[in-house]
Amino acid sequence: MHKVNALPADDPSCGWFRTSRHRQPAPAATGDIKTRWAIIGAGLTGLAAARQLAKNFPSDQIVLIEAQEVGYGTAGRNAGFAIDLPHDIGAKDYVGDPQVAKMILKLNRTGQSIMRQTVEENKIECQMRACGKYQAAIEPKGIAVLEAYQRGLEKIGEGSELIEGKDLPDHIGTSFYRRALYTPSTILIQPSAMVKGMADTLPSNVTLYENTAIRGVEYGEKITLFHKQGRIVTDKLILANNGFGQNFGIDRLKHTMIPLFLYGSLTRQLTEEEQKRLGGKPYWGVIPGSPYGSTVRRTVDNRILIRNSFSFNPNGRPKADCLDRFIKNHRRSFLRRFPMLENVEFEHSWSGYLAMSRNHEGYFGQFAPNVYGALCCNGLGITRGTATGTLLADWLAGQRNDLIDMLLASPGPNKLPPEPFLSIGVNATLMWDGYRAGLES
Ligand SMILES: Cc1cc2nc3c(=O)[nH]c(=O)nc-3n(C[C@H](O)[C@H](O)[C@H](O)COP(=O)(O)OP(=O)(O)OC[C@H]3O[C@@H](n4cnc5c(N)ncnc54)[C@H](O)[C@@H]3O)c2cc1C
């Protein structure tokens, strides 16, 4: 048996989880369970794969296994930007090869439309708003990014609007930024509310087990998954557990995904008087010019989200001292942008695991006999995970199309350098890029 030596254990204070509908989690797995299909991980990828597999194989039983509660892991603790546009930070104009960029756009739009359809058909309350996003900058470097990106977007026929700093308060209340690039096609969501709703409306041939961490796996003609209270024997296994997939004893996946932790804080709800003082539109989302700057949102229920700061946590678990330290960064970033709200305190602060690869590629397809998966979303997993989970289920049902072909042709993430070089390299990059983000942090 291969022992799984890294399990998720997110901190308990995620604002999206706490402020969304309380739900009764599905029971944990017990005893011996036999199934045709088992999916590990009920994040965006696993939920999408389960839904589509159930549709493609209506007479098969599908088991979806989640170590924590649905909505409690990364899928429920991100910033909630369902982004379609490609943003290749390795290219001068952030778009790069137009043919590749158009395919990424098509993949992400597929994810957006599946997400939208699932939310609408199942009447999931998750503050979903197709309100676009502002990429906003204050530092000269960030401004240059906006201008280059606008040129890149033109190349693929995507419209955007540059908004000068003096006009930004009408949009987002704050006069902090010098310029912003508005793109209309991003959808904002309350991420935990959305995945909770998706879990509660799965087709009837999917059985969800929550609070069931897979701790060991035995590969063979049938695959046996071991958890605290029993075993699950499956004909086919799908790994949808993001960076944790690299601990499942499959050579190709080992030591390829960087466990980065990101940090977020959510304020209490603003009073009516505070909303007036803030001004601007009733809800919006801002991403930074510099990738290491702050993501900021005004939510539909009138809270402000700040997301910034990174840490490298090799065991995939949160570090309490980092969260305490980074809440201070959140406060500083909040006050810089919203001096008019200085008495508004944070109600929730949390961290979340993001799987990054060095070459920004993800995994899709077959990993071993009867083992498949879609892993490593590189920070844009809301749309990408939804699309790749669905397309994986289609491919397993024998379908092919240009998106599936593109995903299958990807070389996947490349190997990471050995320790201690990996830690030294990642920590130095985080420190240097964090410093370079300047006021945008
Ligand atoms: C703070 C933060 C902000 C972000 N902002 C955005 C954003 O605005 N837009 C965007 O698109 N993306 C964003 N992301 C990234 C996004 O959340 C991820 O890319 C996305 O959640 C990936 O989805 P997934 O289903 O592939 O993996 P995950 O959401 O990580 O789900 C994998 C699941 O597998 C479970 N699991 C792992 N191991 C086991 C095991 N052994 N047994 C059982 N279950 C297991 C985990 O508990 C987890 O729930 C952000 C991430 C963070 C941390």
Side-chain angles (χ1 to χ4, degrees):
M1 181 190 70
H2 172 82
K3 195 167 174 294
V4 176
N5 57 11
L7 294 173
D10 285 304
D11 56 50
S13 48
C14 174
W16 299 125
F17 183 79
R18 299 275 156 223
T19 61
S20 53
R21 173 180 63 90
H22 174 76
R23 64 182 271 284
Q24 194 56 38
T30 52
D32 267 7
I33 294 166
K34 289 194 175 62
T35 185
R36 172 83 178 137
W37 301 92
I39 303 172
I40 302 181
L44 292 143
T45 309
L47 285 163
R51 189 175 290 273
Q52 190 71 356
L53 215 49
K55 200 168 136 197
N56 291 343
F57 298 94
S59 27
D60 282 3
Q61 270 309 310
I62 295 136
V63 158
L64 175 61
I65 309 150
E66 171 53 48
Q68 310 184 97
E69 275 184 42
V70 172
Y72 189 89
T74 297
R77 47 183 70 220
N78 57 57
F81 288 67
I83 296 178
D84 57 341
L85 296 175
H87 193 263
D88 174 0
I89 52 173
K92 266 193 185 148
D93 60 4
Y94 301 89
V95 166
D97 179 340
Q99 285 321 106
V100 177
K102 280 184 183 166
M103 286 300 285
I104 300 294
L105 182 65
K106 185 170 176 185
L107 180 72
N108 293 343
R109 288 216 168 130
T110 300
Q112 271 188 341
S113 99
I114 296 165
M115 183 188 95
R116 218 174 172 147
Q117 194 183 343
T118 309
V119 166
E120 282 166 4
E121 276 179 10
N122 296 289
K123 300 187 173 46
I124 297 170
E125 291 286 336
C126 62
Q127 303 180 4
M128 189 170 82
R129 296 289 186 279
C131 60
K133 68 167 165 39
Y134 301 85
Q135 186 167 5
I138 183 158
E139 299 282 357
K141 243 185 159 41
I143 304 274
V145 169
L146 307 185
E147 289 163 357
Y149 192 37
Q150 186 173 46
R151 286 194 298 278
L153 290 175
E154 270 167 24
K155 235 170 48 180
I156 55 167
E158 289 302 315
S160 61
E161 184 192 351
L162 270 175
I163 302 172
E164 293 303 325
K166 66 177 174 37
D167 298 322
L168 278 173
D170 289 344
H171 295 256
I172 56 174
T174 171
S175 56
F176 175 73
Y177 297 101
R178 280 180 49 208
R179 198 174 284 172
L181 185 68
Y182 174 73
T183 46
S185 48
T186 290
I187 301 174
L188 297 182
I189 50 153
Q190 208 286 24
S192 189
M194 186 175 83
V195 288
K196 285 178 182 180
M198 287 177 167
D200 289 342
T201 56
L202 283 166
S204 58
N205 54 333
V206 178
T207 307
L208 169 66
Y209 296 108
E210 291 175 76
N211 296 309
T212 303
I214 299 303
R215 295 159 181 271
V217 54
E218 214 164 68
Y219 297 105
E221 204 174 310
K222 299 223 179 236
I223 298 156
T224 308
L225 305 171
F226 298 87
H227 54 85
K228 257 191 174 160
Q229 300 189 82
R231 304 181 312 170
I232 298 168
V233 181
T234 183
D235 294 343
K236 291 179 186 288
L237 172 65
I238 293 178
L239 292 178
N241 52 348
N242 215 1
F244 289 100
Q246 65 191 332
N247 307 307
F248 273 68
I250 294 168
D251 277 345
R252 193 180 143 203
L253 306 183
K254 274 183 199 159
H255 203 57
T256 53
M257 294 177 257
I258 305 171
L260 281 189
F261 269 64
L262 274 60
Y263 295 80
S265 284
L266 197 61
T267 66
R268 62 165 169 76
Q269 286 183 294
L270 306 182
T271 62
E272 280 191 15
E273 194 275 319
E274 286 161 347
Q275 292 172 40
K276 275 199 200 112
R277 239 189 288 154
L278 170 63
K281 297 188 174 176
Y283 44 81
W284 43 259
V286 170
I287 64 162
S290 150
Y292 288 83
S294 297
T295 294
V296 187
R297 275 184 66 180
R298 176 173 172 183
T299 65
V300 171
D301 63 347
N302 283 305
R303 299 170 189 269
I304 302 286
L305 168 85
I306 300 281
R307 203 275 315 137
N308 67 35
S309 308
F310 295 81
S311 67
F312 172 53
N313 300 11
N315 64 359
R317 292 189 164 228
K319 292 180 189 164
D321 62 319
C322 282
L323 183 56
D324 293 344
R325 193 148 40 94
F326 293 147
I327 292 172
K328 295 193 184 101
N329 291 355
H330 293 170
R331 190 74 203 155
R332 196 165 47 236
S333 304
F334 177 80
L335 290 176
R336 268 184 198 146
R337 287 161 178 80
F338 307 107
M340 70 296 257
L341 300 177
E342 65 175 342
N343 295 325
V344 176
E345 63 282 1
F346 292 134
E347 215 166 59
H348 308 274
S349 295
W350 66 95
S351 63
Y353 178 140
L354 183 88
M356 292 287 283
S357 62
R358 275 167 84 202
N359 56 356
H360 306 290
E361 295 283 339
Y363 287 112
F364 180 92
Q366 182 159 15
F367 303 147
N370 293 321
V371 184
Y372 312 88
L375 303 165
C376 195
C377 290
N378 282 302
L380 272 193
I382 297 178
T383 47
R384 190 185 165 94
T386 306
T388 56
T390 307
L391 292 169
L392 187 73
D394 285 345
W395 174 64
L396 287 164
Q399 297 178 34
R400 290 301 282 254
N401 59 39
D402 54 349
L403 291 176
I404 292 175
D405 289 346
M406 173 184 76
L407 293 165
L408 289 172
S410 158
N414 47 17
K415 288 278 177 199
L416 300 173
E419 289 294 4
F421 303 105
L422 177 66
S423 294
I424 294 169
V426 176
N427 286 323
T429 306
L430 293 181
M431 233 153 86
W432 174 235
D433 286 338
Y435 167 76
R436 285 203 314 170
L439 281 173
E440 271 168 39
S441 65

